[in-house]
Amino acid sequence: MTFRDELSPAVETSPRETAVYAGMRRSVKELATLLDIAMAFPLTTDLDRLLETILARSAATFDAADAGALFLYDPDSDHLVVKASIGYEKEPLSHVRLLPGEAMVGRVFQQGQAILCATLEEMAADITNLREENRLYFQRARAGLLQPRGAMCAPLVAKDYVLGAVILVNLRRPGAFSSADVRFLQAVANQITMVLENARLLSEASRAQALDEANRFKDEFLASISHQLLTPITSIKAAADLLLTSAAGSDGPAVSLTNSISRNTQRLQALVEELLDLARLHRGEASLSREPWDLRVIVEEALAAVEPLAEEKDQTLDMEVPSSSCSVLADRGRLEQALMNLLSNSCKFAPRHGHVAVALREDGDEYIVSVSDTGPGIPLAEQTHIFERFYSRSRGPGRKAGAGLGLAIAKTVVELHGGRIWVKSQGGRGSTFFFTVPKEDHREDPGSG
């Protein structure tokens, strides 16, 4: 997913406004890129493909980036080799073998510090020690394009050693990159390093141990990056709100642009808060506060909360609950959160004038809650993955995939209550999500509060 769609409308503003909006747009784009990388991080075990994706998303943030490459150090050959690239012909570039200290990438790897070459003189000095065979491979990889006019490179620094370096190149004009660009590239490089360290854990440890360690690492990573993102997101949102307040009553292009920035920032903030919430749940830091509740009340209030979503698409909402009390020992807020995630998911995928229904029934020692919709359905192959963190697929033309967090949070909350969650669906015939909650007198304590 991406949050950059609305960030560059053409508007006429004063020079001061232009500078303010440019800075805000840049900050939101950079935050969105870091978050995009964080979201891509757990999606695949194909490391080469993941590195290509991360490099492409990172380069897209810089208007001046015409080409780029990610080099990793191979200790067996004592060379830096290409693992991902953009803007180059891959086959010639794959033959490049840089020694530590050779050219910009080699120097960054050797020194462990980022380098910016902003002038033609600096670019010329950078390649003075580039060996002839590598020079030829780079020329062929550019497929006749101009010589680099500027470049920046950042190291991939682990705890005790440097893994490699990432470089972005401009082929049009000197001075295209700034020191601020280098700082952001280093932030991207730090995330790439975490991806590589996670891959190392998976390959070096036993499978079961590695998966546990990798999951812990992912949780720590997501919690860390989310905390880092919240502060600048809050600052950008406050600045946008202040600008909107000062422009109250006007209706010009600057107001439209500020509204766009505000909307994108709110989307980022909501997603980051979900990431933090999911990380806390998985680390066991969000214990449940259980009290006796009537499950009917939780169902009724969750349904009322999603009514505005249904009204926007002229959807009908139905509810079926028993006439007698359904007593459970539950964390009301958490259980309502899980149910609202399921209901909002159904409203999202049900068509205009569609139908969403929630039902509650008794079944032995537990209650079963079901949420049905008349959406496009979920293919059988996806049903085993749909509750996984970050698993998200579009369910129909024109529907954007979400972040893949809502169903994962619902699953975690239900299981913390000692229940189960599953889905039944057929393509084109809608979907029904089910979850169970133990009755108050038959609850098995899963050890969470």
Side-chain angles (χ1 to χ4, degrees), residues 244-252 255:
L244 286 172
T245 301
S246 64
S250 60
D251 187 22
V255 174

Side-chain angles (χ1 to χ4, degrees), residues 298-319 336-348 356-358 371-372:
I298 296 176
V299 170
E300 290 167 357
E301 296 192 355
L303 190 67
V306 299
E307 280 181 357
L309 295 176
E311 290 174 356
E312 287 180 2
K313 298 172 69 176
D314 296 320
Q315 296 167 339
T316 58
L317 295 177
D318 285 334
M319 179 179 65
E336 189 172 300
Q337 176 190 25
L339 183 52
M340 285 180 58
N341 284 354
L342 296 177
L343 285 166
S344 59
N345 186 70
S346 289
C347 289
K348 174 182 177 182
V356 175
V358 59
V371 177
S372 303

Side-chain angles (χ1 to χ4, degrees), residues 354-371:
H355 181 230
V356 175
V358 59
L360 168 61
R361 63 182 175 87
E362 184 178 356
D363 185 33
D365 295 340
E366 60 189 7
Y367 296 107
I368 298 180
V369 180
S370 63
V371 177

Side-chain angles (χ1 to χ4, degrees), residues 11 46-48 131 150 169 184 243 266 274 361 426:
V11 297
D46 185 344
L47 181 61
D48 291 340
R131 290 175 296 158
V169 175
F184 178 61
L243 288 171
Q266 287 173 357
E274 277 195 315
R361 63 182 175 87
Q426 285 184 301

Side-chain angles (χ1 to χ4, degrees), residues 60-329:
T61 309
F62 302 94
D63 294 334
D66 299 315
L70 192 153
F71 287 79
L72 295 183
Y73 178 66
D74 177 13
D76 294 331
S77 64
D78 191 31
H79 285 105
L80 288 148
V81 298
V82 176
K83 299 299 287 185
S85 65
I86 184 172
Y88 287 108
E89 294 290 338
K90 294 186 181 298
E91 202 281 329
L93 194 66
S94 66
H95 296 288
V96 172
R97 298 289 185 272
L98 295 174
L99 290 168
E102 183 180 359
M104 177 184 282
V105 171
R107 284 196 294 131
V108 166
F109 170 79
Q110 195 172 61
Q111 298 170 8
Q113 294 183 340
I115 292 177
L116 170 65
C117 286
T119 66
L120 294 177
E121 292 76 12
E122 290 174 338
M123 289 301 302
D126 172 67
I127 60 174
T128 52
N129 68 340
L130 185 64
R131 290 175 296 158
E132 186 60 25
E133 62 268 31
N134 286 328
R135 191 187 305 269
L136 291 173
Y137 286 134
F138 272 120
Q139 290 174 350
R140 294 171 185 168
R142 290 198 299 272
L145 295 175
L146 299 173
Q147 290 284 344
R149 317 286 284 179
M152 58 179 177
C153 186
L156 308 176
V157 183
K159 288 183 179 179
D160 302 316
Y161 52 93
V162 181
L163 302 177
V166 58
I167 183 171
L168 294 179
V169 175
N170 178 269
L171 304 172
R172 291 166 283 165
R173 59 184 174 84
F177 296 119
S178 66
S179 56
D181 291 329
V182 177
R183 287 193 294 271
F184 178 61
L185 183 62
Q186 185 62 69
V188 171
N190 293 341
Q191 291 199 52
I192 295 173
T193 301
M194 299 184 80
V195 172
L196 294 169
E197 286 293 273
N198 179 67
R200 180 183 62 81
L201 286 173
L202 287 171
S203 63
E204 291 182 356
S206 66
R207 184 68 180 173
Q209 180 182 355
L211 287 174
D212 288 342
E213 184 70 9
N215 284 331
R216 180 192 62 79
F217 186 85
K218 290 175 185 177
D219 289 339
E220 291 179 356
F221 167 75
L222 290 172
S224 175
I225 191 64
S226 297
H227 278 294
Q228 292 178 41
L229 290 174
L230 269 182
T231 298
I233 286 174
T234 303
S235 299
I236 295 170
K237 186 176 182 300
D241 291 343
L242 183 61
L243 288 171
L244 286 172
T245 301
S246 64
S250 60
D251 187 22
V255 174
S256 175
L257 177 57
T258 307
N259 274 317
S260 174
I261 293 173
S262 180
R263 285 195 304 271
N264 278 274
T265 306
Q266 287 173 357
R267 292 165 65 194
L268 283 169
Q269 185 175 25
L271 184 54
V272 168
E273 288 173 350
E274 277 195 315
L275 284 169
L276 281 170
D277 195 29
L278 189 57
R280 284 193 292 264
L281 286 169
H282 275 268
R283 291 199 307 268
E285 295 177 1
S287 60
L288 302 183
S289 178
R290 289 191 177 91
E291 295 179 4
W293 285 102
D294 186 346
L295 188 54
R296 295 179 308 169
V297 174
I298 296 176
V299 170
E300 290 167 357
E301 296 192 355
L303 190 67
V306 299
E307 280 181 357
L309 295 176
E311 290 174 356
E312 287 180 2
K313 298 172 69 176
D314 296 320
Q315 296 167 339
T316 58
L317 295 177
D318 285 334
M319 179 179 65
E320 181 181 346
V321 297
S323 57
S324 58
S325 175
C326 300
S327 182
V328 295
L329 198 62

